[in-house]
Amino acid sequence: MSDALVTDLYEVTMALSYLRESMTAPATFSLFVRKPPPGRGFLVAAGLEPALDHLTEFRVDQADVAAFAEALDRPYAEVEPLLDLRFTGEVRAVPEGRIVLPGEPLLEVTAPLPEAQFVESYLLNHVCHQSAVASKAARCVLAAAGRPVVDFSLRRTHGVPAGMQAARLGAMVGFAGTSNVAAAHAYGLRAVGTMAHSYVEAFGDEAAAFRAFARAHPGPVTFLVDTYDTAGGVAVAARVLRELGLQEGCAVRLDSGDLGALAVTARRILDRAGLTGVRITASGGLDEYAIERLVESGAPIDVFAVGTLVGVSADAPYLDAAYKLVAYDGRPMMKLSTGKVTAPGAKQVHRGPGLVDTIALLAEPAPPGTAPLPRTVMTDGKRTSPPGTLSEARAAFEADLAQLPPTARRIRSPQMPAAAPSERLALLTADVRRQIEERMRASQ
């Protein structure tokens, strides 16, 4: 299937109409999050790289036109104006890994109107989904307070591609590894993992299972100890580890029950066996809230493995985001719908120390002591530089995280305020609103 088919039917219809009406002047669309999920102090920009890949390769071919004609139940000839449609425009966007605030444009597209409209759904899908998951993962890193967090989400994400994205996004915000072998290979991540309960059950004896696993595993081992009785499983794991002379880098994994209390028991058993270097890994329904409770309780857990709740961003599986027309043919545009008013014109976000941001018109001068957040990443339909790397995105996240206010770091934090609009943007918004309202009154 061509990537050009990954669009909404109404985008196809609108693009076709624009072409028929010769409405091909430059249009600017702004992709932004209206407000973050409740209790989120910040968001992490993600999904830009696949979005740019799509725009770079985007082209409507004959097979695509045939598919559109079938979907619209119209003759091929009527849809043929879409043939060879490509993306020839400009993109300004927030680099992956940067911390962003509500109301700020994550991405702005300026291109001939049919092109800019046609790519709406693809851009929203990638940027919104990946920013939601990256933000959830970042909160887990904060909650862990320096203890490693690893990705175990592949079996529960909404499709294999989403599992690949979750592993990459976790690495972007500081995860120490992933159980997803394909992602580890593709992105140069550390592959981590252990055994399943079925493995222990297949042997019928925990000691036999642990010994066999150690023989098959090339490096430090992690034994899953709660298939039957957790304390008993830890004792068996300790005996096998001592028997095999293993300790450095090895761990036991707790996957169910009261993880805090069981970690205390496990630590006591391991220490009494002289295995003070064996770590305790916890998994099973963990997210930032559970991790924070375990850390605050002093539970002796060394590594947190997160899966379902993080891979699908369970408590906030979507972002209240929009892709809205803000300028066309040299004119600023805005939407006046109740509760969904948009600010007109192409914009820039100027970031000051402490993540104090100002949203301004693109042509406005930068406030003193600030740096622009979105940057030009594509002109004439081509990238302006090589694709950003995962290490660059992680470095960008770490740099912003160092400036994040303490209140926004808290897991149960109040929402950070939206970036402050500049005076000129506020004046433009009021003026465009007045003009639109006057035209509406005149037409009645």
Side-chain angles (χ1 to χ4, degrees):
M1 180 179 67
S2 165
D3 274 356
L5 291 178
V6 185
T7 187
D8 232 303
L9 191 62
Y10 82 89
E11 291 158 11
V12 178
T13 304
M14 289 190 295
L16 187 61
S17 176
Y18 293 146
L19 290 168
R20 290 185 178 279
E21 300 297 327
S22 298
M23 295 176 64
T24 57
T28 297
F29 283 80
S30 183
L31 193 162
F32 61 96
V33 177
R34 291 190 180 96
K35 58 183 180 180
R40 298 289 176 95
F42 63 91
L43 295 171
V44 178
L48 174 62
E49 292 305 323
L52 295 181
D53 287 343
H54 176 71
L55 296 178
T56 300
E57 301 298 327
F58 175 75
R59 175 179 175 272
V60 177
D61 61 23
Q62 290 182 335
D64 298 326
V65 173
F68 294 143
E70 181 181 359
L72 291 167
D73 194 22
R74 298 169 70 177
Y76 181 97
E78 290 188 17
V79 188
E80 194 170 16
L82 293 172
L83 183 62
D84 289 329
L85 185 71
R86 302 170 184 264
F87 184 80
T88 63
E90 174 186 277
V91 178
R92 293 178 300 102
V94 178
E96 288 192 310
R98 298 302 301 269
I99 289 176
V100 293
L101 307 179
E104 299 178 345
L106 290 170
L107 177 151
E108 284 196 338
V109 168
T110 299
L113 180 57
E115 301 173 19
Q117 186 77 75
F118 205 97
V119 297
E120 174 181 353
S121 289
Y122 196 100
L123 298 182
L124 276 169
N125 183 288
H126 272 280
V127 173
C128 293
H129 171 254
Q130 295 193 49
S131 295
V133 175
S135 303
K136 180 77 170 176
R139 286 161 56 83
C140 291
V141 171
L142 282 174
R147 306 180 196 188
V149 181
V150 297
D151 163 54
F152 274 18
S153 68
L154 176 59
R155 286 180 282 182
R156 302 296 180 84
T157 54
H158 297 157
V160 172
M164 296 291 287
Q165 291 173 3
R168 177 178 178 272
L169 297 169
M172 181 187 297
V173 299
F175 279 23
T178 178
S179 64
N180 184 335
V181 177
H185 175 73
Y187 306 127
L189 310 179
R190 180 181 171 221
V192 298
T194 175
M195 60 186 67
H197 292 107
S198 58
Y199 181 85
V200 177
E201 292 169 338
F203 282 86
D205 175 78
E206 286 179 306
F210 295 160
R211 291 190 190 98
F213 190 77
R215 286 193 295 269
H217 202 285
V221 294
T222 298
F223 293 152
L224 181 60
V225 294
D226 67 342
T227 303
Y228 305 115
D229 172 71
T230 302
V234 176
V236 173
R239 187 171 73 249
V240 172
L241 289 169
R242 283 176 56 85
E243 171 190 310
L244 299 177
L246 298 174
Q247 178 167 183
E248 189 64 33
C250 294
V252 297
R253 175 183 162 207
L254 307 174
D255 190 53
S256 58
D258 186 336
L259 296 175
L262 291 171
V264 170
T265 299
R267 185 75 270 158
R268 183 172 61 249
I269 293 170
L270 293 169
D271 289 350
R272 286 177 178 174
L275 300 173
T276 56
V278 173
R279 299 188 299 175
I280 297 173
T281 296
S283 61
L286 295 182
D287 63 2
E288 69 268 41
Y289 302 106
I291 292 172
E292 183 182 59
R293 287 193 294 270
L294 289 166
V295 170
E296 289 180 347
S297 72
I301 295 171
D302 302 291
V303 180
F304 295 100
V306 297
T308 304
L309 299 181
V310 177
V312 302
S313 188
D315 66 317
Y318 70 94
L319 295 178
D320 181 14
Y323 180 87
K324 295 302 179 185
L325 180 67
V326 295
Y328 176 62
D329 198 13
R331 295 180 292 119
M333 314 293 289
M334 71 182 297
K335 177 180 174 181
L336 299 184
S337 303
T338 303
K340 294 185 177 181
V341 175
T342 59
K347 303 171 191 68
Q348 180 57 274
V349 179
H350 301 285
R351 172 154 291 177
L355 273 61
V356 176
D357 292 354
T358 300
I359 301 177
L361 294 170
L362 184 60
E364 288 190 74
T370 64
L373 188 55
R375 58 184 177 85
T376 301
V377 293
M378 180 172 279
T379 57
D380 299 325
K382 299 178 181 178
R383 287 177 179 265
T384 58
S385 60
T389 65
L390 189 54
S391 60
E392 289 171 342
R394 183 162 178 164
F397 171 73
E398 291 172 349
D400 278 355
L401 188 63
Q403 297 191 59
L404 193 66
T407 53
R409 289 173 172 266
R410 293 200 300 265
I411 301 307
R412 295 169 181 79
S413 65
Q415 293 179 6
M416 287 187 70
S422 71
E423 183 177 349
R424 281 186 60 188
L425 177 57
L427 289 173
L428 175 67
T429 299
D431 184 56
V432 173
R433 177 193 285 269
R434 177 182 56 77
Q435 293 179 35
I436 294 173
E437 290 174 341
E438 287 177 353
R439 288 200 301 269
M440 292 171 61
R441 285 194 294 270
S443 66
Q444 292 175 352

